[in-house]
Amino acid sequence: MATREVRTAGSGLNLSITRMSEHDLLEVVEIEANSGLSLWGWDAYHKELQSPEDVIMLIARKPPGPVETEADPGPESAVAGFIVARVMAGELHVNNVAVRPELRRQGIAARLLEAVLRQGHDNGARIAFLEVRAGNVPAQGLYRRCGFQVTGRRRRYYRQPVEDALLMSVSLESSP
């Protein structure tokens, strides 16, 4: 199991990461629908928001650019991406992470992962887990850059389409 070391290409990216609120859910569901994730939908995210003691739900937002106005804020003021995770029994389970298709490959998902891993550690998690589609090579690369390693396979885990999941994990404890 690897110790966490996050290398983000977009570390200089001007980005704010904040707690998700109910007001963000329509955009979160829109991003989810355009990301190939197993759909949770508005109700599931809303229910997760009601369990703040062990749930970490974050959004990333790029600040509006100089040519945007309050009347027409443009896509940069929208939710750029989100992450949902849960801490239980010393473990952080990353459930969903997604970024708007037009904003991908800018380091947003890595920044979200870095933030959730830090919060998970601060909340007592010693290890983080996630599942990723076996065919989602770009996501696997992102997780590897964030220190995750493949530790198992769950056959036929995903539906629509049916696909195996790779189980990945990273230690949140400091290296000796």
Side-chain angles (χ1 to χ4, degrees):
M1 160 180 19
T3 300
R4 178 177 50 125
E5 177 186 332
V6 180
R7 296 185 312 265
T8 60
S11 58
L13 183 67
N14 190 3
L15 190 69
S16 67
I17 297 178
T18 59
R19 290 189 69 213
M20 187 185 298
S21 75
E22 188 173 326
H23 300 289
D24 302 315
L25 292 182
L26 289 177
E27 290 181 89
V28 165
V29 170
E30 174 192 347
I31 294 167
E32 176 190 63
N34 292 317
S35 297
L37 294 175
S38 296
L39 297 180
W40 279 27
W42 193 93
D43 289 335
Y45 289 111
H46 186 259
K47 185 176 179 181
E48 287 291 290
L49 280 173
Q50 308 311 307
S51 306
E53 66 278 350
D54 60 354
V55 174
I56 303 170
M57 301 177 76
L58 305 174
I59 59 157
R61 221 182 267 284
K62 291 176 69 175
V67 295
E68 296 159 349
T69 66
E70 194 171 307
D72 182 20
E76 289 187 330
S77 66
V79 172
F82 70 93
I83 192 164
V84 177
R86 183 178 289 265
V87 177
M88 294 181 298
E91 298 177 353
L92 175 73
H93 189 94
V94 178
N95 294 310
N96 280 340
V97 58
V99 173
R100 288 187 183 277
E102 66 274 16
L103 297 175
R104 290 185 185 150
R105 305 195 62 75
Q106 296 182 32
I108 296 169
R111 294 274 300 275
L112 284 164
L113 270 167
E114 181 179 50
V116 86
L117 292 175
R118 187 178 330 103
Q119 283 193 26
H121 176 268
D122 292 348
N123 290 339
R126 296 177 308 280
I127 188 168
F129 293 99
L130 58 79
E131 292 95 9
V132 60
R133 286 185 178 272
N136 191 344
V137 176
Q140 292 170 39
L142 165 68
Y143 301 142
R144 282 189 179 94
R145 286 190 302 278
C146 291
F148 285 83
Q149 291 182 340
V150 174
T151 55
R153 180 180 285 265
R154 295 186 174 156
R155 302 268 178 222
R156 303 176 59 81
Y157 181 79
Y158 292 104
R159 297 173 191 16
Q160 300 177 347
V162 173
E163 188 172 0
D164 290 356
L166 298 179
L167 179 62
M168 299 183 81
S169 66
V170 63
S171 172
L172 300 181
E173 297 178 319
S174 299
S175 298

PDB file of all heavy atoms in Angstrom, residues 156-175:
ATOM      1  N   ARG A 156     -17.749  -7.659 -12.095  1.00  0.00           N
ATOM      2  CA  ARG A 156     -19.102  -7.240 -12.479  1.00  0.00           C
ATOM      3  C   ARG A 156     -19.718  -6.271 -11.452  1.00  0.00           C
ATOM      4  O   ARG A 156     -20.895  -6.312 -11.166  1.00  0.00           O
ATOM      5  CB  ARG A 156     -19.982  -8.462 -12.709  1.00  0.00           C
ATOM      6  CG  ARG A 156     -19.419  -9.409 -13.772  1.00  0.00           C
ATOM      7  CD  ARG A 156     -20.221 -10.682 -13.951  1.00  0.00           C
ATOM      8  NE  ARG A 156     -21.602 -10.412 -14.342  1.00  0.00           N
ATOM      9  CZ  ARG A 156     -22.028 -10.144 -15.569  1.00  0.00           C
ATOM     10  NH1 ARG A 156     -21.162 -10.129 -16.577  1.00  0.00           N
ATOM     11  NH2 ARG A 156     -23.289  -9.933 -15.819  1.00  0.00           N
ATOM     12  N   TYR A 157     -18.897  -5.411 -10.916  1.00  0.00           N
ATOM     13  CA  TYR A 157     -19.312  -4.480  -9.868  1.00  0.00           C
ATOM     14  C   TYR A 157     -20.242  -3.397 -10.405  1.00  0.00           C
ATOM     15  O   TYR A 157     -21.199  -3.008  -9.747  1.00  0.00           O
ATOM     16  CB  TYR A 157     -18.061  -3.850  -9.242  1.00  0.00           C
ATOM     17  CG  TYR A 157     -18.311  -2.882  -8.126  1.00  0.00           C
ATOM     18  CD1 TYR A 157     -18.592  -3.335  -6.839  1.00  0.00           C
ATOM     19  CD2 TYR A 157     -18.242  -1.499  -8.335  1.00  0.00           C
ATOM     20  CE1 TYR A 157     -18.807  -2.450  -5.791  1.00  0.00           C
ATOM     21  CE2 TYR A 157     -18.450  -0.610  -7.294  1.00  0.00           C
ATOM     22  CZ  TYR A 157     -18.733  -1.091  -6.031  1.00  0.00           C
ATOM     23  OH  TYR A 157     -18.941  -0.210  -4.999  1.00  0.00           O
ATOM     24  N   TYR A 158     -19.935  -2.875 -11.578  1.00  0.00           N
ATOM     25  CA  TYR A 158     -20.725  -1.789 -12.166  1.00  0.00           C
ATOM     26  C   TYR A 158     -21.800  -2.336 -13.084  1.00  0.00           C
ATOM     27  O   TYR A 158     -21.627  -3.369 -13.715  1.00  0.00           O
ATOM     28  CB  TYR A 158     -19.820  -0.834 -12.959  1.00  0.00           C
ATOM     29  CG  TYR A 158     -18.872  -0.037 -12.095  1.00  0.00           C
ATOM     30  CD1 TYR A 158     -17.533  -0.365 -12.017  1.00  0.00           C
ATOM     31  CD2 TYR A 158     -19.328   1.045 -11.355  1.00  0.00           C
ATOM     32  CE1 TYR A 158     -16.659   0.360 -11.227  1.00  0.00           C
ATOM     33  CE2 TYR A 158     -18.464   1.778 -10.557  1.00  0.00           C
ATOM     34  CZ  TYR A 158     -17.132   1.429 -10.499  1.00  0.00           C
ATOM     35  OH  TYR A 158     -16.273   2.137  -9.718  1.00  0.00           O
ATOM     36  N   ARG A 159     -22.893  -1.566 -13.172  1.00  0.00           N
ATOM     37  CA  ARG A 159     -23.969  -1.879 -14.109  1.00  0.00           C
ATOM     38  C   ARG A 159     -24.037  -0.725 -15.113  1.00  0.00           C
ATOM     39  O   ARG A 159     -23.625   0.374 -14.836  1.00  0.00           O
ATOM     40  CB  ARG A 159     -25.310  -1.972 -13.378  1.00  0.00           C
ATOM     41  CG  ARG A 159     -25.368  -3.087 -12.338  1.00  0.00           C
ATOM     42  CD  ARG A 159     -26.645  -3.013 -11.558  1.00  0.00           C
ATOM     43  NE  ARG A 159     -26.899  -3.766 -10.381  1.00  0.00           N
ATOM     44  CZ  ARG A 159     -26.088  -4.411  -9.590  1.00  0.00           C
ATOM     45  NH1 ARG A 159     -24.841  -4.461  -9.842  1.00  0.00           N
ATOM     46  NH2 ARG A 159     -26.485  -5.030  -8.514  1.00  0.00           N
ATOM     47  N   GLN A 160     -24.609  -0.996 -16.246  1.00  0.00           N
ATOM     48  CA  GLN A 160     -24.862   0.009 -17.296  1.00  0.00           C
ATOM     49  C   GLN A 160     -23.625   0.806 -17.668  1.00  0.00           C
ATOM     50  O   GLN A 160     -23.543   2.000 -17.367  1.00  0.00           O
ATOM     51  CB  GLN A 160     -25.994   0.943 -16.867  1.00  0.00           C
ATOM     52  CG  GLN A 160     -27.287   0.239 -16.624  1.00  0.00           C
ATOM     53  CD  GLN A 160     -28.374   1.174 -16.123  1.00  0.00           C
ATOM     54  OE1 GLN A 160     -28.134   2.305 -15.737  1.00  0.00           O
ATOM     55  NE2 GLN A 160     -29.596   0.702 -16.128  1.00  0.00           N
ATOM     56  N   PRO A 161     -22.656   0.261 -18.312  1.00  0.00           N
ATOM     57  CA  PRO A 161     -22.531  -1.157 -18.668  1.00  0.00           C
ATOM     58  C   PRO A 161     -21.883  -1.956 -17.532  1.00  0.00           C
ATOM     59  O   PRO A 161     -21.184  -1.405 -16.673  1.00  0.00           O
ATOM     60  CB  PRO A 161     -21.593  -1.124 -19.878  1.00  0.00           C
ATOM     61  CG  PRO A 161     -20.721   0.060 -19.623  1.00  0.00           C
ATOM     62  CD  PRO A 161     -21.601   1.069 -18.929  1.00  0.00           C
ATOM     63  N   VAL A 162     -22.120  -3.255 -17.586  1.00  0.00           N
ATOM     64  CA  VAL A 162     -21.515  -4.151 -16.604  1.00  0.00           C
ATOM     65  C   VAL A 162     -20.012  -4.153 -16.821  1.00  0.00           C
ATOM     66  O   VAL A 162     -19.532  -4.287 -17.951  1.00  0.00           O
ATOM     67  CB  VAL A 162     -22.093  -5.578 -16.731  1.00  0.00           C
ATOM     68  CG1 VAL A 162     -21.344  -6.547 -15.824  1.00  0.00           C
ATOM     69  CG2 VAL A 162     -23.578  -5.574 -16.415  1.00  0.00           C
ATOM     70  N   GLU A 163     -19.276  -3.941 -15.734  1.00  0.00           N
ATOM     71  CA  GLU A 163     -17.816  -3.874 -15.825  1.00  0.00           C
ATOM     72  C   GLU A 163     -17.219  -4.153 -14.452  1.00  0.00           C
ATOM     73  O   GLU A 163     -17.827  -3.870 -13.427  1.00  0.00           O
ATOM     74  CB  GLU A 163     -17.398  -2.471 -16.296  1.00  0.00           C
ATOM     75  CG  GLU A 163     -15.932  -2.345 -16.608  1.00  0.00           C
ATOM     76  CD  GLU A 163     -15.579  -1.003 -17.249  1.00  0.00           C
ATOM     77  OE1 GLU A 163     -16.469  -0.157 -17.458  1.00  0.00           O
ATOM     78  OE2 GLU A 163     -14.393  -0.804 -17.530  1.00  0.00           O
ATOM     79  N   ASP A 164     -16.028  -4.707 -14.453  1.00  0.00           N
ATOM     80  CA  ASP A 164     -15.306  -4.931 -13.201  1.00  0.00           C
ATOM     81  C   ASP A 164     -14.873  -3.596 -12.610  1.00  0.00           C
ATOM     82  O   ASP A 164     -14.689  -2.611 -13.332  1.00  0.00           O
ATOM     83  CB  ASP A 164     -14.037  -5.767 -13.433  1.00  0.00           C
ATOM     84  CG  ASP A 164     -14.328  -7.213 -13.786  1.00  0.00           C
ATOM     85  OD1 ASP A 164     -15.503  -7.619 -13.791  1.00  0.00           O
ATOM     86  OD2 ASP A 164     -13.356  -7.936 -14.059  1.00  0.00           O
ATOM     87  N   ALA A 165     -14.679  -3.613 -11.296  1.00  0.00           N
ATOM     88  CA  ALA A 165     -14.103  -2.461 -10.595  1.00  0.00           C
ATOM     89  C   ALA A 165     -12.733  -2.851 -10.079  1.00  0.00           C
ATOM     90  O   ALA A 165     -12.527  -3.978  -9.627  1.00  0.00           O
ATOM     91  CB  ALA A 165     -14.980  -2.053  -9.425  1.00  0.00           C
ATOM     92  N   LEU A 166     -11.805  -1.939 -10.170  1.00  0.00           N
ATOM     93  CA  LEU A 166     -10.517  -2.112  -9.510  1.00  0.00           C
ATOM     94  C   LEU A 166     -10.624  -1.422  -8.166  1.00  0.00           C
ATOM     95  O   LEU A 166     -11.076  -0.272  -8.076  1.00  0.00           O
ATOM     96  CB  LEU A 166      -9.385  -1.486 -10.326  1.00  0.00           C
ATOM     97  CG  LEU A 166      -9.152  -2.073 -11.714  1.00  0.00           C
ATOM     98  CD1 LEU A 166      -8.017  -1.342 -12.406  1.00  0.00           C
ATOM     99  CD2 LEU A 166      -8.878  -3.561 -11.636  1.00  0.00           C
ATOM    100  N   LEU A 167     -10.219  -2.106  -7.115  1.00  0.00           N
ATOM    101  CA  LEU A 167     -10.166  -1.525  -5.787  1.00  0.00           C
ATOM    102  C   LEU A 167      -8.782  -0.919  -5.623  1.00  0.00           C
ATOM    103  O   LEU A 167      -7.770  -1.591  -5.866  1.00  0.00           O
ATOM    104  CB  LEU A 167     -10.420  -2.589  -4.718  1.00  0.00           C
ATOM    105  CG  LEU A 167     -10.373  -2.128  -3.271  1.00  0.00           C
ATOM    106  CD1 LEU A 167     -11.452  -1.082  -2.999  1.00  0.00           C
ATOM    107  CD2 LEU A 167     -10.541  -3.316  -2.341  1.00  0.00           C
ATOM    108  N   MET A 168      -8.736   0.347  -5.252  1.00  0.00           N
ATOM    109  CA  MET A 168      -7.462   1.045  -5.076  1.00  0.00           C
ATOM    110  C   MET A 168      -7.415   1.622  -3.669  1.00  0.00           C
ATOM    111  O   MET A 168      -8.448   1.993  -3.105  1.00  0.00           O
ATOM    112  CB  MET A 168      -7.304   2.153  -6.124  1.00  0.00           C
ATOM    113  CG  MET A 168      -7.313   1.641  -7.555  1.00  0.00           C
ATOM    114  SD  MET A 168      -7.045   2.949  -8.796  1.00  0.00           S
ATOM    115  CE  MET A 168      -5.256   3.082  -8.732  1.00  0.00           C
ATOM    116  N   SER A 169      -6.207   1.711  -3.108  1.00  0.00           N
ATOM    117  CA  SER A 169      -6.059   2.265  -1.761  1.00  0.00           C
ATOM    118  C   SER A 169      -4.755   3.033  -1.637  1.00  0.00           C
ATOM    119  O   SER A 169      -3.830   2.862  -2.432  1.00  0.00           O
ATOM    120  CB  SER A 169      -6.114   1.159  -0.711  1.00  0.00           C
ATOM    121  OG  SER A 169      -5.010   0.307  -0.837  1.00  0.00           O
ATOM    122  N   VAL A 170      -4.734   3.874  -0.606  1.00  0.00           N
ATOM    123  CA  VAL A 170      -3.539   4.651  -0.274  1.00  0.00           C
ATOM    124  C   VAL A 170      -3.518   4.843   1.243  1.00  0.00           C
ATOM    125  O   VAL A 170      -4.569   5.068   1.854  1.00  0.00           O
ATOM    126  CB  VAL A 170      -3.498   6.004  -1.014  1.00  0.00           C
ATOM    127  CG1 VAL A 170      -4.645   6.914  -0.623  1.00  0.00           C
ATOM    128  CG2 VAL A 170      -2.157   6.707  -0.792  1.00  0.00           C
ATOM    129  N   SER A 171      -2.347   4.744   1.830  1.00  0.00           N
ATOM    130  CA  SER A 171      -2.187   4.996   3.261  1.00  0.00           C
ATOM    131  C   SER A 171      -2.255   6.498   3.514  1.00  0.00           C
ATOM    132  O   SER A 171      -1.682   7.288   2.764  1.00  0.00           O
ATOM    133  CB  SER A 171      -0.842   4.444   3.743  1.00  0.00           C
ATOM    134  OG  SER A 171      -0.602   4.836   5.076  1.00  0.00           O
ATOM    135  N   LEU A 172      -2.921   6.858   4.585  1.00  0.00           N
ATOM    136  CA  LEU A 172      -2.990   8.261   4.989  1.00  0.00           C
ATOM    137  C   LEU A 172      -2.067   8.540   6.167  1.00  0.00           C
ATOM    138  O   LEU A 172      -2.029   9.652   6.675  1.00  0.00           O
ATOM    139  CB  LEU A 172      -4.435   8.654   5.327  1.00  0.00           C
ATOM    140  CG  LEU A 172      -5.436   8.505   4.194  1.00  0.00           C
ATOM    141  CD1 LEU A 172      -6.821   8.934   4.639  1.00  0.00           C
ATOM    142  CD2 LEU A 172      -5.014   9.267   2.957  1.00  0.00           C
ATOM    143  N   GLU A 173      -1.343   7.523   6.590  1.00  0.00           N
ATOM    144  CA  GLU A 173      -0.383   7.686   7.672  1.00  0.00           C
ATOM    145  C   GLU A 173       0.937   8.171   7.078  1.00  0.00           C
ATOM    146  O   GLU A 173       1.286   7.841   5.957  1.00  0.00           O
ATOM    147  CB  GLU A 173      -0.185   6.366   8.410  1.00  0.00           C
ATOM    148  CG  GLU A 173      -1.478   5.916   9.076  1.00  0.00           C
ATOM    149  CD  GLU A 173      -1.343   4.586   9.794  1.00  0.00           C
ATOM    150  OE1 GLU A 173      -0.690   3.684   9.265  1.00  0.00           O
ATOM    151  OE2 GLU A 173      -1.919   4.498  10.872  1.00  0.00           O
ATOM    152  N   SER A 174       1.648   8.944   7.845  1.00  0.00           N
ATOM    153  CA  SER A 174       2.919   9.485   7.382  1.00  0.00           C
ATOM    154  C   SER A 174       3.941   8.388   7.205  1.00  0.00           C
ATOM    155  O   SER A 174       3.925   7.394   7.933  1.00  0.00           O
ATOM    156  CB  SER A 174       3.463  10.514   8.376  1.00  0.00           C
ATOM    157  OG  SER A 174       2.568  11.581   8.494  1.00  0.00           O
ATOM    158  N   SER A 175       4.833   8.567   6.264  1.00  0.00           N
ATOM    159  CA  SER A 175       5.939   7.627   6.073  1.00  0.00           C
ATOM    160  C   SER A 175       6.889   7.722   7.256  1.00  0.00           C
ATOM    161  O   SER A 175       7.096   8.794   7.806  1.00  0.00           O
ATOM    162  CB  SER A 175       6.722   7.952   4.800  1.00  0.00           C
ATOM    163  OG  SER A 175       5.903   7.820   3.689  1.00  0.00           O
TER     164      SER A 175
END
